Structures are given as structure tokens and as C-alpha cells.
Amino acid sequence: MRRLILALPLLVSAWALEVRLSATLAFDLFPQGVVVERMAEPRGMVVVYNFSRAEAVFRYHDEDLRRRGWVRVKYEMKKGEWKAEYRKGKAKATLSVKDKKGRVEVRLKEGD
């Protein structure tokens, strides 16, 4: 019993690595970045990491969504900002990653 109690925090932290927005949309948190802020939005989520390489964060979330069956249908890159749109059947999602000078803001929304 004591071993189970000691292992419980590890199990809880492993579950917290996935953020589920709906039945169809979920994503894993970027493992190399420290989450400094996490806010729910209507039909979405904003996560801010203490990390300096925004492109690496975008690539990680893009690959995670595609691994989950989402198809990227649009991609746009500006200075310090990456945007992509995805589809999975009739469902739509958008991913936006912005470089905020030492912090990276990730916004994932479901729908139009």
C-alpha cells in the first residue's frame, strides 16, 4: 500500500501532461518547457511556456496533432509567429504559437 501511495504523484503528473479540450481535440504539453500559465478560452486553451525556441514548440504540437489523426490544411509563418489549421472529419482546429521573448504562447482552438 505504501508503494502505491508513493507512486500516486507520479501517476497524477503523467495524466496532467495531456490537455483535453473536447472529445475530439486533445494535445500533449511540450515536455522541455515549463508551463507558467494555462487558461481556458471559449472552445480553446492558451498555454504559456518558459522556453525560448517557439519553432520547436510549434513543431512538437503540430506533430502531436497529426499523430492524433488531425490533417494540416493550412500553414502560415510570420516573424515570431506560426499558425496552422487542421481538420479531422468535419471537426476543425487552429494552432497558433507566438514567440514572446523567452516565453512561448500556444493557443489551440476548436471550430471556426
Side-chain angles (χ1 to χ4, degrees):
M1 181 68 172
R2 183 178 175 161
R3 287 184 186 167
L4 180 61
I5 292 171
L6 293 174
L8 190 58
L10 296 175
L11 294 173
V12 171
S13 65
W15 289 332
L17 295 176
E18 179 181 271
V19 176
R20 180 157 296 281
L21 300 173
S22 69
T24 57
L25 185 58
F27 69 101
D28 289 336
L29 294 174
F30 184 66
Q32 287 87 23
V34 175
V35 175
V36 294
E37 193 173 350
R38 204 166 113 180
M39 301 172 293
E41 287 189 333
R43 300 183 306 167
M45 173 72 67
V46 175
V47 178
V48 179
Y49 297 103
N50 189 15
F51 198 72
S52 61
R53 294 178 33 229
E55 184 178 6
V57 175
F58 173 80
R59 279 196 319 263
Y60 177 82
H61 287 299
D62 177 64
E63 290 172 6
D64 179 47
L65 288 168
R66 290 189 286 141
R67 187 175 50 249
R68 293 172 185 270
W70 289 87
V71 177
R72 186 172 64 197
V73 295
K74 190 175 181 182
Y75 171 76
E76 181 181 344
M77 190 212 123
K78 296 178 184 175
K79 185 178 179 181
E81 185 175 1
W82 292 260
K83 291 183 179 180
E85 293 180 11
Y86 303 86
R87 291 190 187 249
K88 187 176 188 180
K90 292 183 179 181
K92 297 178 186 177
T94 57
L95 172 66
S96 171
V97 176
K98 293 181 183 177
D99 186 358
K100 300 280 189 171
K101 296 183 182 178
R103 292 193 176 195
V104 177
E105 179 185 273
V106 177
R107 187 175 308 262
L108 184 63
K109 285 190 171 187
E110 187 171 32
D112 296 331

